[in-house]
Amino acid sequence: MNLKQLAEYLELSQTTVSRALNGYPEVREETRRRVLEAAQRHGYKPNSNARKLATGKAGSIGYVLPVGRNVDLDPHFVEFLSGMGEHALSREVDLSLTPAPFERETEAYSRIAASRSVDGVYLSSMRNDEQRIALVRDLGIPFLAHGRALEPSKGYSFLDIDNEGAFHDATRLLLQLGHTRLAFVNGDTDYTFAVHRLNGVVRAMTAAGLPVERLAHHSAAMNEENGYRLAMELFRDADPATRPTGVLSASMFTTLGIVRAFNQLGICMPDDVSIITHDDVFPFLKPESFTVQLTTTRSSIRVAGARICERLVDIINGVEKGPVEEVWPVDLIVRASTGPAPAAGKPGRRGGAAEAAE
């Protein structure tokens, strides 16, 4: 069936059928459902060129993909893209990636606007000096941000998790367990998520009357290599009486390196050191799969990818209007890697984390 045949079958105009298929808000929900069911039943697939001519839309959402010698393929992005792709398939929307090095990012967005190759873009990895929001606005490209810029934090649509709240709660758990010597292996603080997480740690320490100067804070890209290197710096030559007893980690991938360092140094969790990591619910890397199951702050980045796609399509079609700010709470899941702080000069003891969390 082509569009004309589908419209004749449904006894509707081609315009109404096209608008129903593309999610226009003025189409009644009953009509939209009827059109979608008939299209699926009869195997109708819209011709992308015809759809673009009929609706003025490309049927695609875009992302400017950072590339270059210093850019790693981030497993978080792969998981996010999987969730986005699953929802895009259900909405019959294509995903378009435009690779560009950082210094040519403006050129990439300008090319997207000029070619009208996508109907909207999403912005991720929000930076402290974020410039892309103003850029895509000036270019007239509909957009949705995954994350929040530091300034301004309002006036545009975004989806974010409560990074500050997550690491505040994680830090508070360690403090309740008696840990006063803390280390935080953070992500790159050129990005706002890492700044928000550090703010959460500082807020919890301040509320407990613990000097912030006592926090051993390290900022680096979130990967296994940096986790291993930083853990070695913190623990290899440190006096057990003064080294950290509580560690916060920004990513499961960083934690892989930290745990490898602990194993080499003979440091046991949670007897010697308690650790809490951020877990994005990766199907291939689970906190329960470690020898000592990891306490985590948990939020699914795959689900976030699906939600970003859903909202961006709604923004493009006029269903979502005005700046909508969506912040997801983050769960704290207590497992075996957290326990009471060891007494000075004595080995630690297991247990007690669940009670402290309550």
Side-chain angles (χ1 to χ4, degrees), residues 295-313:
T295 295
T296 61
T297 56
R298 183 175 68 182
S299 180
S300 172
I301 199 166
R302 179 185 286 258
V303 174
R307 179 61 175 157
I308 289 285
C309 182
E310 177 185 23
R311 285 191 56 195
L312 184 53
V313 171

Side-chain angles (χ1 to χ4, degrees), residues 249-272:
S249 173
S251 166
M252 286 284 286
F253 298 100
T254 304
T255 304
L256 275 174
I258 295 173
V259 171
R260 178 161 66 95
F262 285 175
N263 290 337
Q264 289 186 15
L265 296 172
I267 295 173
C268 298
M269 301 181 296
D271 291 2
D272 302 316

Side-chain angles (χ1 to χ4, degrees), residues 47-309:
N47 178 281
S48 59
N49 290 329
R51 178 172 60 183
K52 189 171 182 179
L53 287 172
T55 66
K57 288 184 168 62
S60 179
I61 57 178
Y63 177 67
V64 174
L65 178 68
V67 296
R69 294 176 59 186
N70 297 322
V71 177
D72 295 326
L73 182 60
D74 187 347
H76 298 86
F77 173 72
V78 176
E79 187 71 1
F80 176 88
L81 199 62
S82 296
M84 175 170 272
E86 289 168 1
H87 189 80
L89 181 63
S90 72
R91 299 289 290 263
E92 295 191 344
V93 172
D94 294 328
L95 304 180
S96 175
L97 300 180
T98 303
F102 175 76
E103 62 273 11
R104 299 183 63 182
E105 205 171 49
T106 299
E107 177 185 327
Y109 284 108
S110 298
R111 189 166 65 250
I112 287 172
S115 65
R116 298 175 61 195
S117 56
V118 302
D119 301 314
V121 297
Y122 76 93
L123 311 176
S124 68
S125 302
M126 306 302 283
R127 303 158 189 153
N128 298 341
D129 59 345
E130 187 57 60
Q131 305 293 319
R132 291 171 295 174
I133 293 172
L135 173 63
V136 295
R137 274 179 169 162
D138 289 344
L139 292 170
I141 306 174
F143 73 95
L144 179 64
H146 184 205
R148 288 169 282 175
L150 293 181
E151 294 292 343
S153 61
K154 297 183 179 180
Y156 58 92
S157 292
F158 65 77
L159 169 66
D160 198 9
I161 65 171
D162 185 7
N163 282 293
E164 180 173 334
F167 278 76
H168 169 271
D169 292 347
T171 305
R172 186 175 60 179
L173 172 60
L174 292 176
L175 296 173
Q176 289 172 342
L177 289 167
H179 296 274
T180 57
R181 301 193 304 272
L182 303 181
F184 182 19
V185 183
N186 198 0
D188 187 345
T189 48
D190 285 340
Y191 296 96
T192 59
F193 78 89
V195 175
H196 290 146
R197 291 178 181 183
L198 179 58
N199 290 343
V201 175
V202 169
R203 180 159 62 90
M205 292 179 65
T206 302
L210 192 64
V212 177
E213 293 75 16
R214 297 184 62 175
L215 175 68
H217 176 248
H218 295 270
S219 169
M222 297 181 297
N223 56 48
E224 194 269 353
E225 179 183 356
N226 283 332
Y228 176 80
R229 174 179 59 82
L230 292 171
M232 281 295 191
E233 290 179 10
L234 282 165
F235 290 92
R236 181 168 46 197
D237 299 319
D239 184 345
T242 59
R243 71 190 183 190
T245 64
V247 175
L248 298 146
S249 173
S251 166
M252 286 284 286
F253 298 100
T254 304
T255 304
L256 275 174
I258 295 173
V259 171
R260 178 161 66 95
F262 285 175
N263 290 337
Q264 289 186 15
L265 296 172
I267 295 173
C268 298
M269 301 181 296
D271 291 2
D272 302 316
V273 177
S274 289
I275 186 168
I276 301 176
T277 184
H278 184 66
D279 167 36
D280 281 312
V281 199
F282 295 103
F284 51 86
L285 183 61
K286 297 181 179 181
E288 299 91 346
S289 300
F290 286 72
T291 304
V292 177
Q293 296 187 12
L294 299 174
T295 295
T296 61
T297 56
R298 183 175 68 182
S299 180
S300 172
I301 199 166
R302 179 185 286 258
V303 174
R307 179 61 175 157
I308 289 285
C309 182

